[in-house]
Amino acid sequence: MDLRDRTHWIFDLDGTLTVAVHDFAAFKASQGLPADRDILRGLETVSAQRATEIRTALRQWEADLAHAAVPGPGVIDLLEHLRGRGRQLAVLTRNTRANALRTLRAAGLHAFFDARDVAGRDSAAPKPAPDGLFRQLALWGAHPDEAVMVGDYLFDVVAGRAAGTATVLLDTHGRHGHPDSADLVFSELSELTSRLATQPPGQSIGGPHASQKS
Ligand SMILES: [Mg+2]
C-alpha cells in the first residue's frame, strides 16, 4: 500500500494530533461509571438524569483539557508535508466538535483544517462506528480507497477498516501489541512523515519501525 497516493487524510485528535492527557479511567472512577466500558457506553448503564449530569461533567472536563492542548511530536511536520502536497485534511474525534475546535486552536493546529472538516461525537455516531468517516468522505466527494484514517487507539483502526479506508495506528508506547490490526503501525509520526517523503514509486512501505499487512 502506497500511502503517498492517498489524497484524503482523517485524523483522530486526542493522543494523535495532541499529546494525550485524558485520564479516562480516573474520570470514570470519579463519576461511578463502570471501568470495563468506554465512557459513552458506560452512560447507557446509569439513569437518564445521572447520564445528563455526567455528560455535563464530561464536557466541562474535556473543555478544561482542550484549553491546555499542545501538538504531539512530529505533528506539525506531518501536516505541513501533507498540505504541501495538496492533501485534504480532516479531524474525527469522540470528543465534542466544539471541544475539538478549541483543542485545535489551543494547540496551534487550526490553520491546517477547514472547520467544516472537524467532526465530533455530536456530528455522527462516534468511533468505532464508521459513520463519521462516511460523513467526511461524502463531504469531500471522496472514495474510501483515496483516504487514510490515522489514530492512536483501536477504535480509530476499527472505524477506518469498517469504512474501507487505509489505517495507520500511532502506537507510541507499544501498548496495543496487535500491529496486524492496522495497515501500518508507527511508534512516532515522524516515521510516517519520513516514509511519505522518501518512499520511491512502486516500492512498498516497510522497515524496522513500520509493519505492514499484506
Ligand atoms: Mg485518540
Side-chain angles (χ1 to χ4, degrees), residues 12 14-16 152 156:
D12 169 56
D14 302 305
T16 299
D152 72 319
D156 302 308

Side-chain angles (χ1 to χ4, degrees), residues 12-18 20 22 24 92-94 127 150-154 156 170 175:
D12 169 56
L13 181 57
D14 302 305
T16 299
L17 293 180
T18 61
H22 294 74
F24 295 109
L92 178 63
T93 177
R94 281 166 56 88
K127 299 172 287 188
V150 183
D152 72 319
Y153 190 55
L154 197 58
D156 302 308
L170 173 63
R175 283 177 305 200

